[in-house]
Amino acid sequence: MQWLLKFAAGALLAVSTVVATSDGTASPRTANRRYIEERNGVHYNVFEHVATRSKLSFVKNSGICETTPGVNQYSGYLTVGENMNMWFWFFEARENPQKAPLVAYLDGGPGAASEYGLFTQIGPCHFVNNETTPSLNPYAFNNYANMLYIDQPIGVGFSYGNETTTEYENRDFGVVTESYGGHYLPEFTRYILEQNDAVIRGDLQGEEIRMVGVAIHNGWFDAAIQEKSNIEYMYNNSYRQIINESFHDELLDKYNTTVKPALDLCHTSGTNANCFAAYTSYSNTIEFPILAVFREKSSNGYYLGDIREPYSRPPSTHVEYLQRSDIQRAIGAKANYTDQAGEIGFYYSGDDARSFIPQLSDIVQAGIKVLIWTGDADYVSNWYGTLDVAHAVEWSGKDEFATKTLEPYTLNGVEKGTFKSVDNFTFMRIYEAGHNVPFYQPEASLQIFRQFMETGNVNPT
Ligand SMILES: *[C@@H]1O[C@H](CO)[C@@H](O)[C@H](O)[C@H]1NC(C)=O
Ligand SMILES: *[C@@H]1O[C@H](CO)[C@@H](O)[C@H](O)[C@H]1NC(C)=O
Ligand SMILES: *[C@@H]1O[C@H](CO)[C@@H](O)[C@H](O)[C@H]1NC(C)=O
Ligand SMILES: *[C@@H]1O[C@H](CO)[C@@H](O)[C@H](O)[C@H]1NC(C)=O
Ligand SMILES: *[C@@H]1O[C@H](CO)[C@@H](O)[C@H](O)[C@H]1NC(C)=O
Ligand SMILES: *[C@@H]1O[C@H](CO)[C@@H](O)[C@H](O)[C@H]1NC(C)=O
Ligand SMILES: *[C@@H]1O[C@H](CO)[C@@H](O)[C@H](O)[C@H]1NC(C)=O
């Protein structure tokens, strides 16, 4: 089990906000320590890892969520430095955990806890039929991979020492995210690649992280591209027309005259004030007017993440469940659960308006497997926009990618969407799926995830 702990510590550090020892040099402690610590009646396994100067305190096999016999789980905190306690929940792969890759899941938001994606989409359990306790999810992504769910805040930075085990060095590492993760995952992945380069150059002592795959569903990457697509999508999508032609033309005109210049200023100056002004501009000029029409045209309630009628959306039953003190004790949580937090800071910094195409371009060009996949019933980060984003990525395969047509993607002979790929870069449109794709298309999503992590390509079956 030692390898797993070191492995988890290293991987967690890779996604933590704090760079503990970015130079990887001397450490005050000399030996890793393991002990049991009791706090408020909860017994934590503590693992102090010298090489990463981190401390993991966790509960093993709480019996919550993953109940498949023989599949281990660990939940608790990674502590780096004095005051950073990052929550993680780790589930071993149901098949072949010793060989399976490690995949981290970071949710979107900004400020959404990863338990959102865990319980509503890809975790070992989910809530069905309004039940107040979860049941096993047969299409969980840990069917295939060791899955590490990490809570916000998430930024960049990692550190590793020279005592990581060979298992860790050789393990493929991937990251899955959704929605606003389109902002931070390209950034975070590029940072890991830079650190790897520093290790290769000898400027940084440590091991390379075998960063192999990055999958982003319904991602928000670039407001200039995606706000324009929002207008097109509401006018002409495969489900129902929301705005009429004259309104479409009017919005497009305002996009040109008001929104685009504000976004250009945000991108050239980069200041928080200009980017927040751009955010305000498209909210007022495009989003609120579209929302007003959408509301009017949706007689039985509405959800921007699924424009179909009737729509469906993931239940939020997990929130009450995770706010129960007995569940919190079982998994070793020391704070009450907050499902969505921290949006305000992001919005005032104008982050929503910034473009992450440059970072995305760098990681695609670096040859990392990148999958951009989108449920086609979602308006929020709709597939017109993510396809335009995919076309805007600057890399050697850009022209070939742009001219390729989308081909059918099937699951056991049933068409589930369309896709195209060049080298390690893949775009997919998924039918009958809203914003949180695996909730709507669990079986297809697991097949896509498995294929993507195994080979970097997706293949119709
Ligand atoms: C779940 O509960 C909601 C509200 O109480 C109800 O509208 C819905 O029909 C229920 N769904 C199922 C599957 O029972
Ligand atoms: C790790 O680095 C420390 C300090 O740089 C060194 O003393 C130690 O021998 C190294 N251990 C291994 C296993 O290389
Ligand atoms: C709507 O979209 C379809 C498919 O992309 C396209 O063929 C058609 O020309 C579009 N219609 C309008 C009015 O833009
Ligand atoms: C188009 O939609 C707008 C906004 O809903 C509405 O005010 C206008 O009357 C519509 N125009 C036509 C020609 O239907
Ligand atoms: C918006 O600007 C683009 C590019 O400059 C142009 O092709 C398009 O016709 C303009 N659309 C409107 C509605 O002004
Ligand atoms: C967590 O917060 C919720 C909402 O405020 C509250 O209902 C619940 O009792 C709290 N749980 C614990 C264990 O304090
Ligand atoms: C695609 O990914 C594989 C496996 O990670 C790698 O070996 C290969 O070099 C990549 N291809 C390109 C064109 O970068």
Side-chain angles (χ1 to χ4, degrees):
M1 218 31 62
Q2 187 102 335
W3 69 269
L4 179 63
L5 299 174
K6 288 179 182 177
F7 185 30
L12 278 162
L13 276 166
V15 289
S16 72
T17 7
V18 174
V19 180
T21 54
S22 56
D23 58 355
T25 52
S27 167
R29 278 181 269 119
T30 52
N32 296 338
R33 290 210 306 148
R34 307 184 61 176
Y35 52 93
I36 305 277
E37 183 177 79
E38 194 196 319
R39 276 218 208 174
N40 301 327
V42 182
H43 290 86
Y44 293 93
N45 297 275
V46 181
F47 178 72
E48 290 179 3
H49 188 218
V50 172
T52 54
R53 283 196 201 168
S54 62
K55 179 173 140 180
L56 286 174
S57 326
F58 61 90
V59 169
K60 184 180 176 189
N61 294 338
S62 63
I64 305 297
C65 195
E66 177 56 278
T67 50
T68 307
V71 178
N72 291 308
Q73 62 163 302
Y74 308 83
S75 50
Y77 292 92
L78 169 76
T79 304
V80 185
E82 294 306 311
N83 52 12
M84 181 211 177
N85 298 291
M86 192 164 59
W87 170 259
F88 72 92
W89 203 336
F90 182 87
F91 301 96
E92 273 186 354
R94 287 173 177 167
E95 303 158 16
N96 223 346
Q98 304 288 332
K99 293 238 169 69
L102 175 73
V103 175
Y105 180 78
L106 316 177
D107 217 302
S114 287
E115 280 70 33
Y116 178 76
L118 193 168
F119 283 94
T120 65
Q121 297 168 65
I122 60 170
C125 70
H126 54 185
F127 289 90
V128 291
N129 300 327
N130 289 351
E131 279 162 7
T132 54
T133 50
S135 52
L136 224 51
N137 175 10
Y139 303 114
F141 280 13
N142 75 309
N143 275 7
Y144 173 68
N146 295 298
M147 293 294 300
L148 179 61
Y149 295 83
I150 303 159
D151 272 2
Q152 312 279 24
I154 294 301
V156 292
F158 71 83
S159 130
Y160 35 24
N162 60 358
E163 295 189 32
T164 42
T165 63
T166 49
E167 286 94 332
Y168 170 43
E169 286 165 29
N170 296 333
R171 193 65 66 110
D172 283 354
F173 183 57
V175 190
V176 174
T177 190
E178 65 174 338
S179 191
Y180 207 80
H183 267 206
Y184 42 72
L185 197 52
E187 175 88 46
F188 152 68
T189 306
R190 186 170 75 169
Y191 185 81
I192 289 192
L193 297 182
E194 284 168 7
Q195 297 294 295
N196 282 347
D197 286 346
V199 170
I200 293 164
R201 283 198 310 270
D203 295 348
L204 176 68
Q205 188 194 354
E207 309 292 343
E208 279 180 73
I209 287 193
R210 280 185 45 123
M211 185 80 200
V212 296
V214 172
I216 305 170
H217 60 274
N218 294 64
W220 183 251
F221 303 92
D222 182 291
I225 293 173
Q226 291 178 275
E227 281 301 325
K228 191 171 183 211
S229 309
N230 284 359
I231 301 168
E232 299 303 336
Y233 183 84
M234 284 313 216
Y235 174 54
N236 180 26
N237 63 71
S238 56
Y239 296 102
R240 59 186 181 119
Q241 182 175 19
I242 306 296
I243 60 174
N244 60 29
E245 187 176 357
S246 58
F247 197 48
H248 161 269
D249 293 352
E250 190 187 315
L251 288 176
L252 213 51
D253 188 51
K254 285 183 181 157
Y255 171 86
N256 272 9
T257 55
T258 312
V259 174
K260 185 64 169 45
L263 280 162
D264 288 345
L265 190 59
C266 159
H267 295 166
T268 50
S269 77
T271 67
N272 287 3
N274 286 337
C275 290
F276 186 66
Y279 168 70
T280 309
S281 172
Y282 57 76
S283 299
N284 293 339
T285 313
I286 299 173
E287 293 306 325
F288 297 148
I290 283 182
L291 179 60
V293 178
F294 183 61
R295 219 181 242 152
E296 207 173 277
K297 297 226 163 153
S298 308
S299 39
N300 291 308
Y302 67 92
Y303 174 46
L304 290 170
D306 181 359
I307 68 156
R308 296 172 300 176
E309 277 195 310
Y311 69 87
S312 63
R313 73 181 294 176
S316 52
T317 328
H318 66 281
V319 178
E320 261 180 59
Y321 180 74
L322 293 173
Q323 286 180 342
R324 280 167 47 181
S325 61
D326 58 327
I327 302 301
Q328 289 174 10
R329 284 172 63 85
I331 61 180
K334 295 176 187 171
N336 200 351
Y337 178 71
T338 308
D339 200 46
Q340 311 279 332
E343 293 186 7
I344 299 303
F346 266 88
Y347 283 142
Y348 285 121
S349 73
D351 193 68
D352 199 81
R354 295 179 198 277
S355 174
F356 287 77
I357 302 267
Q359 291 86 335
L360 185 60
S361 298
D362 285 351
I363 67 173
V364 171
Q365 180 59 38
I368 303 283
K369 300 168 188 171
V370 176
L371 170 65
I372 292 183
W373 52 317
T374 308
D376 74 357
D378 176 34
Y379 162 72
V380 179
S381 301
N382 60 72
W383 78 276
Y384 285 9
T386 55
L387 181 58
D388 288 346
V389 163
H391 288 159
V393 169
E394 294 293 342
W395 65 299
S396 55
K398 182 177 183 178
D399 293 343
E400 187 187 349
F401 188 79
T403 51
K404 262 197 150 171
T405 53
L406 291 163
E407 307 283 344
Y409 181 81
T410 51
L411 167 73
N412 304 324
V414 179
E415 190 168 329
K416 289 289 182 178
T418 56
F419 78 106
K420 62 175 175 176
S421 31
V422 169
D423 296 338
N424 290 337
F425 186 41
T426 301
F427 173 87
M428 299 189 85
R429 165 195 182 183
I430 312 297
Y431 301 148
E432 303 293 340
H435 192 66
N436 314 105
V437 183
F439 167 74
Y440 299 92
Q441 294 292 342
E443 193 177 356
S445 295
L446 178 58
Q447 173 175 290
I448 290 162
F449 173 70
R450 182 190 292 263
Q451 291 179 340
F452 176 68
M453 282 306 299
E454 273 173 357
T455 67
N457 292 114
V458 295
N459 304 296
T461 60

